[in-house]
Amino acid sequence: MNVSRKFPHSRLRRNRFTSSIRSLVAENNLTVNDLIQPIFVKEGLDGSEAINSLPDIKRYGLNALDSELERIQNNKINAVAVFPVIDPKKKDDNGTESLNEDNLVCEAIKQIKNSTDLTVIADVALDPYTSHGHDGLLNESGYVDNDKSLASLTAQAMTLAKAGADMVAPSDMMDGRIASIRSSLEENGFVNTIILSYAAKYSSKFYGPFRDAVGSSSNLGVGSKDTYQMSPANIDEALHEVRMDLEEGADIVMVKPGMPYLDVIKAVKETFRVPTFAYQVSGEYAMLKAAIQNEWLVEDVLMESLLSFKRAGADCVLTYAANEIANKLNR
Ligand code: PBG
């Protein structure tokens, strides 16, 4: 068969003629099932408060959480990722509060599981709890000690699973943490707790607004996470990280940040063909929202940015814009 691919036999504009036709030939679609809403809960807060560097996102006291959960459910979003902002007086070098079974995040998880059927994702990392703002524990010289950190992170993952988290999400980037957490979950009968591994997590400046939101930026100060989070220069290493985490027992892997790392999402999906999530992180959201608020860009850039994750191969996106976008998709 000799089908001419040449103009005018082929006019690619034919399939763009109406919006109905354009949607029929769409290769990728964004739906509410692709969205996860991050939520910040703050200890001792009555009601909610704005976060300067994250427009339209708030911190919620436990007494104000239900109204936000209602909004998320009305928008038909299936899952939330919950992040704690604890009383700064409770922070110490070892992040001890992370192991308290009645700590803020455990109470929030119980509240969400009791009052909704949302899937709850809980971060495993010590940074909301440590006085130095690092995700692990320090040795005498101030270096984040991998093997010493594993025990704490594993114990933290267990408290989160016990509180009812459907997914524990190690975001700390210590070597060996997936294997350690998986063994502990299995030994304790949590055979269906999912490990969502932040497998390819880069040492990124795009996390700034998140660190403001959880109040860890002042703890971290000028410190960086370069000795455990990945270098933005690397992609082969991301595949190595993902391979190790899958072998150690991760069920889902994540790439983070998102938009500046779409090539990594694509490479991970094409190489491993496993559930792959991506995180449109705080700085990406803040950047887009700031431009929208200044009327330099229109709101539709958010939808376009999220569609780019789908095109790259992400199965799901954690985004601060989840509520806003879901609301639009449902209309
Ligand atoms: C904690 C954690 C961070 C984010 C998610 N979990 C910050 C960090 O690694 O410093 C960033 C999320 C965002 O920027 O939206 N380990």
Side-chain angles (χ1 to χ4, degrees):
M1 201 170 61
N2 189 7
V3 181
S4 174
R5 286 282 170 193
K6 285 196 192 131
F7 176 83
H9 284 291
S10 287
R11 286 180 186 267
L12 294 187
R13 289 185 58 189
R14 286 188 197 116
N15 288 344
R16 299 174 196 149
F17 192 56
T18 65
S19 124
S20 160
I21 295 167
R22 289 193 294 272
S23 58
L24 290 172
V25 298
E27 296 173 43
N28 292 283
N29 283 296
L30 184 71
T31 76
V32 289
N33 293 328
D34 301 317
L35 302 172
I36 295 173
Q37 178 70 53
I39 310 180
F40 296 105
V41 289
K42 180 170 173 178
E43 192 151 30
L45 178 65
D46 182 20
S48 64
E49 63 184 20
I51 303 166
N52 279 342
S53 51
L54 280 178
D56 298 334
I57 299 301
K58 291 177 173 168
R59 300 183 191 91
Y60 295 91
L62 290 180
N63 66 2
L65 185 56
D66 284 349
S67 63
E68 173 64 1
L69 296 175
E70 205 171 303
R71 183 161 76 119
I72 292 168
Q73 289 189 296
N74 286 340
N75 284 333
K76 302 194 176 65
I77 292 170
N78 295 319
V80 294
V82 52
F83 296 99
V85 185
I86 73 163
D87 179 349
K89 290 197 289 287
K90 292 187 179 169
K91 296 189 183 188
D92 63 21
D93 283 356
N94 292 325
T96 314
E97 177 67 6
S98 66
L99 307 180
N100 173 3
E101 292 190 359
D102 302 315
N103 69 15
L104 173 68
V105 76
C106 291
E107 290 305 312
I109 293 168
K110 290 174 215 164
Q111 187 172 331
I112 301 169
K113 292 311 295 181
N114 280 336
S115 60
T116 75
D117 44 25
L118 289 164
T119 293
V120 177
I121 302 170
D123 241 45
V124 179
L126 300 182
D127 56 330
Y129 303 97
T130 49
S131 41
H132 44 72
H134 279 292
D135 295 12
L137 304 179
L138 308 184
N139 67 16
E140 313 75 56
S141 55
Y143 178 70
V144 176
D145 187 315
N146 193 83
D147 299 8
K148 188 165 124 183
S149 302
L150 287 185
S152 289
L153 292 163
T154 303
Q156 180 189 22
M158 291 311 304
T159 63
L160 297 169
K162 275 183 205 151
D166 301 283
M167 299 189 193
V168 291
S171 69
D172 56 284
M173 291 298 280
M174 297 303 125
D175 287 319
R177 89 270 207 225
I178 303 298
S180 173
I181 292 168
R182 176 57 78 209
S183 309
S184 183
L185 288 170
E186 285 292 320
E187 279 160 24
N188 291 284
F190 290 92
V191 297
N192 283 325
T193 301
I194 290 167
I195 300 181
L196 164 59
S197 173
Y198 285 78
K201 175 169 177 179
Y202 288 85
S203 187
S204 172
K205 297 290 179 267
F206 284 100
Y207 306 149
F210 174 96
R211 292 178 190 170
D212 294 340
V214 300
S216 71
S217 35
S218 55
N219 299 94
L220 190 60
V222 295
S224 93
K225 300 189 177 183
D226 291 351
T227 68
Y228 46 105
Q229 297 179 348
M230 283 182 54
S231 161
N234 298 350
I235 184 163
D236 287 345
E237 189 188 358
L239 299 179
H240 196 160
E241 282 282 1
V242 168
R243 172 170 288 117
M244 281 177 64
D245 286 0
L246 290 171
E247 282 170 357
E248 290 178 32
D251 304 285
I252 304 173
V253 293
M254 182 142 72
V255 175
K256 178 185 173 195
M259 267 219 292
Y261 296 83
L262 292 177
D263 55 330
V264 181
I265 299 171
K266 185 166 198 270
V268 167
K269 189 64 178 181
E270 288 185 347
T271 306
F272 298 102
R273 296 276 153 205
V274 298
T276 304
F277 288 8
Y279 202 143
Q280 181 176 53
V281 300
S282 56
E284 301 176 57
Y285 170 85
M287 216 161 55
L288 293 169
K289 285 296 265 197
I292 293 165
Q293 286 184 338
N294 277 295
E295 297 182 6
W296 296 336
L297 292 173
V298 295
E299 249 173 44
D300 290 350
V301 292
L302 285 171
M303 192 79 83
E304 182 179 334
S305 74
L306 291 167
L307 199 51
S308 77
F309 285 84
K310 297 288 296 183
R311 211 178 52 240
D315 296 299
C316 198
V317 189
L318 282 89
T319 173
Y320 298 93
N323 266 319
E324 188 178 332
I325 292 294
N327 192 270
K328 274 216 182 96
L329 291 171
N330 291 327
R331 258 188 254 142

